[in-house]
Amino acid sequence: MRDIDGIAGFRALSGQHVAISEWITITQQRIDTFADATDDHQWIHVDTERCAKESPYGCTVAHGFLTLSLLPAMLQNALHMAGIRMAINYGLNKVRFPAPVPVGSRLRARLDILSVEELAEGAQVNWAVTMEREGDAKPVCVAEFLMRCHA
């Protein structure tokens, strides 16, 4: 876990690799729960029998947005932000899903700070996030994530 001490700590890390999150396992239950929450029950995510017969992956795969939605958990298990009263998701500038996430995969995120912009109420941190699947060189998600930090 990486300790970051307030807005000054983010500024000091601007332009650098900061942390790697812990692994998170993608189970079928997690995929099914996400499908229920989003009403996205496309067969490639939830129909294990059909996927075994028809999918090029031979199994179900996680939704791209499920993969992306794990970003807050990955940030939380990779960073300890002292002196930050509140951190909020401000949005994304770019997101891509270059590779599938088959059920049973383990994912983690590599976190780099691209820039830190001063704001009246704190700072906006622009993160480069690369989510990787254990045993695969190709990332499953790359994103530019904006987080607003209030001291």
Side-chain angles (χ1 to χ4, degrees), residues 51-63:
C51 283
K53 295 175 190 171
E54 298 179 35
S55 169
Y57 312 113
C59 62
T60 58
V61 294
H63 307 71

Side-chain angles (χ1 to χ4, degrees), residues 65-127:
F65 287 130
L66 166 57
T67 304
L68 182 62
S69 74
L70 295 172
L71 179 54
M74 291 176 173
L75 283 164
Q76 187 174 17
N77 75 41
L79 305 173
H80 175 259
M81 297 179 286
I84 301 297
R85 178 175 46 88
M86 179 175 63
I88 60 169
N89 170 359
Y90 189 66
L92 300 148
N93 285 337
K94 183 178 179 181
V95 179
R96 298 290 183 267
F97 304 107
V101 177
V103 67
S105 296
R106 288 181 6 124
L107 307 180
R108 70 179 179 185
R110 295 185 174 278
L111 305 165
D112 304 331
I113 295 178
L114 295 173
S115 63
V116 178
E117 177 186 343
E118 298 297 320
L119 302 173
E121 66 276 9
Q124 179 170 290
V125 182
N126 186 354
W127 293 93

